[in-house]
PDB file of all heavy atoms in Angstrom:
ATOM      1  N   TRP A  14     139.595  88.322 -37.590  1.00  0.00           N
ATOM      2  CA  TRP A  14     139.498  88.216 -36.130  1.00  0.00           C
ATOM      3  C   TRP A  14     138.349  87.281 -35.778  1.00  0.00           C
ATOM      4  O   TRP A  14     138.521  86.421 -34.873  1.00  0.00           O
ATOM      5  CB  TRP A  14     139.224  89.602 -35.522  1.00  0.00           C
ATOM      6  CG  TRP A  14     138.917  89.553 -34.047  1.00  0.00           C
ATOM      7  CD1 TRP A  14     139.797  89.513 -33.018  1.00  0.00           C
ATOM      8  CD2 TRP A  14     137.621  89.561 -33.460  1.00  0.00           C
ATOM      9  NE1 TRP A  14     139.149  89.480 -31.817  1.00  0.00           N
ATOM     10  CE2 TRP A  14     137.791  89.490 -32.041  1.00  0.00           C
ATOM     11  CE3 TRP A  14     136.312  89.554 -33.977  1.00  0.00           C
ATOM     12  CZ2 TRP A  14     136.732  89.470 -31.154  1.00  0.00           C
ATOM     13  CZ3 TRP A  14     135.262  89.522 -33.092  1.00  0.00           C
ATOM     14  CH2 TRP A  14     135.455  89.486 -31.716  1.00  0.00           C
ATOM     15  N   ARG A  15     137.196  87.364 -36.414  1.00  0.00           N
ATOM     16  CA  ARG A  15     136.056  86.505 -36.119  1.00  0.00           C
ATOM     17  C   ARG A  15     136.429  85.051 -36.422  1.00  0.00           C
ATOM     18  O   ARG A  15     136.060  84.137 -35.668  1.00  0.00           O
ATOM     19  CB  ARG A  15     134.833  86.965 -36.891  1.00  0.00           C
ATOM     20  CG  ARG A  15     133.612  86.156 -36.538  1.00  0.00           C
ATOM     21  CD  ARG A  15     132.360  86.632 -37.267  1.00  0.00           C
ATOM     22  NE  ARG A  15     131.928  87.914 -36.746  1.00  0.00           N
ATOM     23  CZ  ARG A  15     132.031  89.053 -37.396  1.00  0.00           C
ATOM     24  NH1 ARG A  15     132.575  89.070 -38.612  1.00  0.00           N
ATOM     25  NH2 ARG A  15     131.602  90.210 -36.880  1.00  0.00           N
ATOM     26  N   SER A  16     137.090  84.808 -37.530  1.00  0.00           N
ATOM     27  CA  SER A  16     137.467  83.452 -37.905  1.00  0.00           C
ATOM     28  C   SER A  16     138.408  82.853 -36.865  1.00  0.00           C
ATOM     29  O   SER A  16     138.282  81.689 -36.463  1.00  0.00           O
ATOM     30  CB  SER A  16     138.118  83.410 -39.291  1.00  0.00           C
ATOM     31  OG  SER A  16     137.223  83.884 -40.276  1.00  0.00           O
ATOM     32  N   ASP A  17     139.374  83.674 -36.401  1.00  0.00           N
ATOM     33  CA  ASP A  17     140.326  83.156 -35.403  1.00  0.00           C
ATOM     34  C   ASP A  17     139.614  82.882 -34.099  1.00  0.00           C
ATOM     35  O   ASP A  17     139.897  81.856 -33.453  1.00  0.00           O
ATOM     36  CB  ASP A  17     141.412  84.223 -35.169  1.00  0.00           C
ATOM     37  CG  ASP A  17     142.295  84.401 -36.388  1.00  0.00           C
ATOM     38  OD1 ASP A  17     142.277  83.525 -37.281  1.00  0.00           O
ATOM     39  OD2 ASP A  17     142.988  85.441 -36.485  1.00  0.00           O
ATOM     40  N   ARG A  18     138.647  83.726 -33.701  1.00  0.00           N
ATOM     41  CA  ARG A  18     137.952  83.512 -32.474  1.00  0.00           C
ATOM     42  C   ARG A  18     137.053  82.253 -32.528  1.00  0.00           C
ATOM     43  O   ARG A  18     136.973  81.460 -31.591  1.00  0.00           O
ATOM     44  CB  ARG A  18     137.089  84.728 -32.134  1.00  0.00           C
ATOM     45  CG  ARG A  18     137.859  85.979 -31.831  1.00  0.00           C
ATOM     46  CD  ARG A  18     138.632  85.832 -30.553  1.00  0.00           C
ATOM     47  NE  ARG A  18     137.771  85.704 -29.393  1.00  0.00           N
ATOM     48  CZ  ARG A  18     138.171  85.468 -28.171  1.00  0.00           C
ATOM     49  NH1 ARG A  18     139.479  85.305 -27.953  1.00  0.00           N
ATOM     50  NH2 ARG A  18     137.342  85.334 -27.168  1.00  0.00           N
ATOM     51  N   ILE A  19     136.416  82.056 -33.695  1.00  0.00           N
ATOM     52  CA  ILE A  19     135.585  80.841 -33.866  1.00  0.00           C
ATOM     53  C   ILE A  19     136.434  79.569 -33.778  1.00  0.00           C
ATOM     54  O   ILE A  19     136.081  78.573 -33.128  1.00  0.00           O
ATOM     55  CB  ILE A  19     134.847  80.914 -35.193  1.00  0.00           C
ATOM     56  CG1 ILE A  19     133.763  82.014 -35.148  1.00  0.00           C
ATOM     57  CG2 ILE A  19     134.155  79.574 -35.523  1.00  0.00           C
ATOM     58  CD1 ILE A  19     133.015  82.207 -36.450  1.00  0.00           C
ATOM     59  N   ALA A  20     137.604  79.602 -34.449  1.00  0.00           N
ATOM     60  CA  ALA A  20     138.508  78.451 -34.380  1.00  0.00           C
ATOM     61  C   ALA A  20     138.949  78.165 -32.966  1.00  0.00           C
ATOM     62  O   ALA A  20     139.068  76.998 -32.566  1.00  0.00           O
ATOM     63  CB  ALA A  20     139.713  78.694 -35.308  1.00  0.00           C
ATOM     64  N   TRP A  21     139.225  79.215 -32.209  1.00  0.00           N
ATOM     65  CA  TRP A  21     139.664  79.031 -30.818  1.00  0.00           C
ATOM     66  C   TRP A  21     138.548  78.413 -29.971  1.00  0.00           C
ATOM     67  O   TRP A  21     138.758  77.519 -29.161  1.00  0.00           O
ATOM     68  CB  TRP A  21     140.096  80.348 -30.221  1.00  0.00           C
ATOM     69  CG  TRP A  21     140.654  80.238 -28.831  1.00  0.00           C
ATOM     70  CD1 TRP A  21     141.925  79.930 -28.474  1.00  0.00           C
ATOM     71  CD2 TRP A  21     139.883  80.394 -27.620  1.00  0.00           C
ATOM     72  NE1 TRP A  21     142.052  79.902 -27.087  1.00  0.00           N
ATOM     73  CE2 TRP A  21     140.807  80.160 -26.543  1.00  0.00           C
ATOM     74  CE3 TRP A  21     138.600  80.690 -27.323  1.00  0.00           C
ATOM     75  CZ2 TRP A  21     140.414  80.260 -25.223  1.00  0.00           C
ATOM     76  CZ3 TRP A  21     138.178  80.766 -26.013  1.00  0.00           C
ATOM     77  CH2 TRP A  21     139.089  80.536 -24.960  1.00  0.00           C
ATOM     78  N   HIS A  22     137.294  78.901 -30.150  1.00  0.00           N
ATOM     79  CA  HIS A  22     136.178  78.379 -29.376  1.00  0.00           C
ATOM     80  C   HIS A  22     135.892  76.926 -29.709  1.00  0.00           C
ATOM     81  O   HIS A  22     135.500  76.142 -28.855  1.00  0.00           O
ATOM     82  CB  HIS A  22     134.943  79.256 -29.618  1.00  0.00           C
ATOM     83  CG  HIS A  22     134.940  80.552 -28.825  1.00  0.00           C
ATOM     84  ND1 HIS A  22     135.638  81.659 -29.223  1.00  0.00           N
ATOM     85  CD2 HIS A  22     134.320  80.880 -27.671  1.00  0.00           C
ATOM     86  CE1 HIS A  22     135.463  82.634 -28.382  1.00  0.00           C
ATOM     87  NE2 HIS A  22     134.640  82.194 -27.420  1.00  0.00           N
ATOM     88  N   ILE A  23     136.036  76.591 -31.040  1.00  0.00           N
ATOM     89  CA  ILE A  23     135.783  75.222 -31.409  1.00  0.00           C
ATOM     90  C   ILE A  23     136.731  74.277 -30.704  1.00  0.00           C
ATOM     91  O   ILE A  23     136.375  73.169 -30.329  1.00  0.00           O
ATOM     92  CB  ILE A  23     135.890  75.089 -32.961  1.00  0.00           C
ATOM     93  CG1 ILE A  23     134.719  75.800 -33.625  1.00  0.00           C
ATOM     94  CG2 ILE A  23     135.903  73.607 -33.352  1.00  0.00           C
ATOM     95  CD1 ILE A  23     134.772  75.777 -35.137  1.00  0.00           C
ATOM     96  N   GLY A  24     137.947  74.715 -30.475  1.00  0.00           N
ATOM     97  CA  GLY A  24     138.936  73.895 -29.800  1.00  0.00           C
ATOM     98  C   GLY A  24     138.789  73.853 -28.298  1.00  0.00           C
ATOM     99  O   GLY A  24     139.506  73.081 -27.629  1.00  0.00           O
ATOM    100  N   HIS A  25     137.848  74.611 -27.710  1.00  0.00           N
ATOM    101  CA  HIS A  25     137.643  74.618 -26.277  1.00  0.00           C
ATOM    102  C   HIS A  25     136.140  74.483 -26.051  1.00  0.00           C
ATOM    103  O   HIS A  25     135.355  75.451 -26.120  1.00  0.00           O
ATOM    104  CB  HIS A  25     138.146  75.929 -25.645  1.00  0.00           C
ATOM    105  CG  HIS A  25     139.593  76.156 -25.836  1.00  0.00           C
ATOM    106  ND1 HIS A  25     140.177  76.575 -27.043  1.00  0.00           N
ATOM    107  CD2 HIS A  25     140.670  76.021 -24.956  1.00  0.00           C
ATOM    108  CE1 HIS A  25     141.450  76.672 -26.910  1.00  0.00           C
ATOM    109  NE2 HIS A  25     141.811  76.363 -25.642  1.00  0.00           N
ATOM    110  N   ALA A  26     135.697  73.276 -25.755  1.00  0.00           N
ATOM    111  CA  ALA A  26     134.280  72.928 -25.630  1.00  0.00           C
ATOM    112  C   ALA A  26     133.637  73.739 -24.516  1.00  0.00           C
ATOM    113  O   ALA A  26     132.406  74.042 -24.607  1.00  0.00           O
ATOM    114  CB  ALA A  26     134.143  71.444 -25.369  1.00  0.00           C
ATOM    115  N   SER A  27     134.358  74.113 -23.498  1.00  0.00           N
ATOM    116  CA  SER A  27     133.731  74.845 -22.392  1.00  0.00           C
ATOM    117  C   SER A  27     133.328  76.260 -22.772  1.00  0.00           C
ATOM    118  O   SER A  27     132.625  76.904 -22.028  1.00  0.00           O
ATOM    119  CB  SER A  27     134.721  74.875 -21.212  1.00  0.00           C
ATOM    120  OG  SER A  27     135.917  75.542 -21.616  1.00  0.00           O
ATOM    121  N   HIS A  28     133.790  76.713 -23.921  1.00  0.00           N
ATOM    122  CA  HIS A  28     133.501  78.085 -24.345  1.00  0.00           C
ATOM    123  C   HIS A  28     132.528  78.141 -25.569  1.00  0.00           C
ATOM    124  O   HIS A  28     132.416  79.162 -26.232  1.00  0.00           O
ATOM    125  CB  HIS A  28     134.774  78.841 -24.709  1.00  0.00           C
ATOM    126  CG  HIS A  28     135.709  79.037 -23.551  1.00  0.00           C
ATOM    127  ND1 HIS A  28     135.606  80.150 -22.716  1.00  0.00           N
ATOM    128  CD2 HIS A  28     136.731  78.277 -23.040  1.00  0.00           C
ATOM    129  CE1 HIS A  28     136.511  80.076 -21.797  1.00  0.00           C
ATOM    130  NE2 HIS A  28     137.230  78.970 -21.981  1.00  0.00           N
ATOM    131  N   TRP A  29     131.876  76.997 -25.864  1.00  0.00           N
ATOM    132  CA  TRP A  29     131.028  76.990 -27.065  1.00  0.00           C
ATOM    133  C   TRP A  29     129.852  77.958 -26.969  1.00  0.00           C
ATOM    134  O   TRP A  29     129.420  78.506 -27.946  1.00  0.00           O
ATOM    135  CB  TRP A  29     130.513  75.552 -27.270  1.00  0.00           C
ATOM    136  CG  TRP A  29     131.584  74.661 -27.878  1.00  0.00           C
ATOM    137  CD1 TRP A  29     132.851  74.998 -28.126  1.00  0.00           C
ATOM    138  CD2 TRP A  29     131.411  73.297 -28.239  1.00  0.00           C
ATOM    139  NE1 TRP A  29     133.581  73.923 -28.647  1.00  0.00           N
ATOM    140  CE2 TRP A  29     132.669  72.860 -28.749  1.00  0.00           C
ATOM    141  CE3 TRP A  29     130.378  72.380 -28.235  1.00  0.00           C
ATOM    142  CZ2 TRP A  29     132.912  71.572 -29.231  1.00  0.00           C
ATOM    143  CZ3 TRP A  29     130.595  71.105 -28.719  1.00  0.00           C
ATOM    144  CH2 TRP A  29     131.842  70.711 -29.214  1.00  0.00           C
ATOM    145  N   ARG A  30     129.314  78.143 -25.737  1.00  0.00           N
ATOM    146  CA  ARG A  30     128.177  79.038 -25.594  1.00  0.00           C
ATOM    147  C   ARG A  30     128.498  80.448 -25.990  1.00  0.00           C
ATOM    148  O   ARG A  30     127.647  81.252 -26.381  1.00  0.00           O
ATOM    149  CB  ARG A  30     127.651  78.965 -24.167  1.00  0.00           C
ATOM    150  CG  ARG A  30     127.008  77.667 -23.807  1.00  0.00           C
ATOM    151  CD  ARG A  30     126.384  77.696 -22.406  1.00  0.00           C
ATOM    152  NE  ARG A  30     125.701  76.476 -22.049  1.00  0.00           N
ATOM    153  CZ  ARG A  30     125.108  76.283 -20.895  1.00  0.00           C
ATOM    154  NH1 ARG A  30     125.049  77.256 -19.980  1.00  0.00           N
ATOM    155  NH2 ARG A  30     124.479  75.134 -20.666  1.00  0.00           N
ATOM    156  N   GLN A  31     129.761  80.828 -25.808  1.00  0.00           N
ATOM    157  CA  GLN A  31     130.168  82.184 -26.121  1.00  0.00           C
ATOM    158  C   GLN A  31     130.239  82.476 -27.636  1.00  0.00           C
ATOM    159  O   GLN A  31     130.386  83.602 -28.051  1.00  0.00           O
ATOM    160  CB  GLN A  31     131.521  82.480 -25.505  1.00  0.00           C
ATOM    161  CG  GLN A  31     131.543  82.383 -23.983  1.00  0.00           C
ATOM    162  CD  GLN A  31     132.918  82.664 -23.405  1.00  0.00           C
ATOM    163  OE1 GLN A  31     133.814  83.104 -24.113  1.00  0.00           O
ATOM    164  NE2 GLN A  31     133.109  82.375 -22.131  1.00  0.00           N
TER     165      GLN A  31
END
Side-chain angles (χ1 to χ4, degrees):
W14 173 84
R15 183 177 289 109
S16 299
D17 294 341
R18 295 293 295 175
I19 291 176
W21 184 86
H22 281 80
I23 291 177
H25 299 76
S27 61
H28 295 273
W29 283 4
R30 290 185 177 180
Q31 300 179 10

